[in-house]
Amino acid sequence: MLRKLTTNRLILTTLLLAALAKPVNAADTYKLDPTHTAIVFHINHFGFSNPSGKFMNVDGAVVLDQQNPAASKLNVTIPIATIDTDVPKLDEHLKSKEFFDAATYPTATFVSTKVDVTGKDTAIVHGTLTLHGISKPVDLNVQLNKIGENFMKQPTAGFSASAVIKRSDFGITTYLPALGDEVRLDIESEANL
């Protein structure tokens, strides 16, 4: 009888410790994969076209709470020097004081403040974008594409997101209004556990 009681206590203690180690509603922190995360921007070029460029090597994390998606969080750092339009002279111009002033403001950041779930795999992620030394609220329309293992058997979450910002809100006003004020952002990201 004593042996059975001791065994039952051991099982109960093991189950309790396992439950405390990872609560049922625990959120997982996924680190952004810099080689599979890109922020692509589009801007109207004097009414003639809408060229694009991108930022790579983005750093950050997604705290993904699958039990309570509204409790999820996002924190991202974007290195301005990674700007790439496929035109090296334009990249240098965009990094200059006339535009991003990358020497003074080497990074941009986005930190979420709230998540509004809008569907089974969609949400609006409200947050603060700090760019060119100025912080403003920005909303990202986010689509959760997939959660699973990637080809290296690593747990991965994939997202697509979009937003529209005004560059003048962040003090980037060169060539306004001829060069568009609104900038469309399209974001593709994979994050690994």
Side-chain angles (χ1 to χ4, degrees), residues 100-173:
F100 288 102
D101 193 2
T104 305
Y105 309 106
T107 60
T109 60
F110 179 84
V111 179
S112 66
T113 55
K114 181 182 177 188
V115 175
D116 285 328
V117 177
T118 57
K120 180 177 175 280
D121 294 320
T122 59
I124 298 172
V125 178
H126 307 275
T128 302
L129 175 64
T130 301
L131 172 66
H132 200 246
I134 297 172
S135 298
K136 294 282 182 179
V138 169
D139 295 337
L140 298 177
N141 294 299
V142 179
Q143 167 77 47
L144 171 64
N145 298 323
K146 181 179 179 180
I147 297 175
E149 287 188 348
N150 65 17
F151 72 98
M152 296 180 70
K153 305 294 184 196
Q154 188 172 23
T156 301
F159 304 88
S160 297
S162 63
V164 175
I165 63 171
K166 286 189 173 185
R167 63 189 180 99
S168 61
D169 287 346
F170 299 93
I172 303 173
T173 57

Side-chain angles (χ1 to χ4, degrees), residues 32-39 55-58 187-191:
L32 296 184
D33 179 347
T35 61
H36 291 98
T37 298
I39 300 170
F55 293 96
M56 296 292 292
N57 296 315
V58 176
I187 302 159
E188 294 295 331
S189 182
E190 293 181 21

Side-chain angles (χ1 to χ4, degrees), residues 44-76:
N44 186 277
H45 188 252
F46 299 93
F48 295 109
S49 64
N50 294 283
S52 62
K54 66 182 174 181
F55 293 96
M56 296 292 292
N57 296 315
V58 176
D59 186 31
V62 178
V63 177
L64 185 58
D65 190 329
Q66 293 185 62
Q67 298 298 319
N68 180 17
S72 298
K73 297 176 182 174
L74 175 63
N75 191 326
V76 177

Side-chain angles (χ1 to χ4, degrees), residues 10-29:
L10 181 60
I11 291 170
L12 183 60
T13 301
T14 302
L15 290 172
L16 182 60
L17 288 173
L20 291 173
K22 184 162 184 175
V24 174
N25 291 332
D28 292 315
T29 299

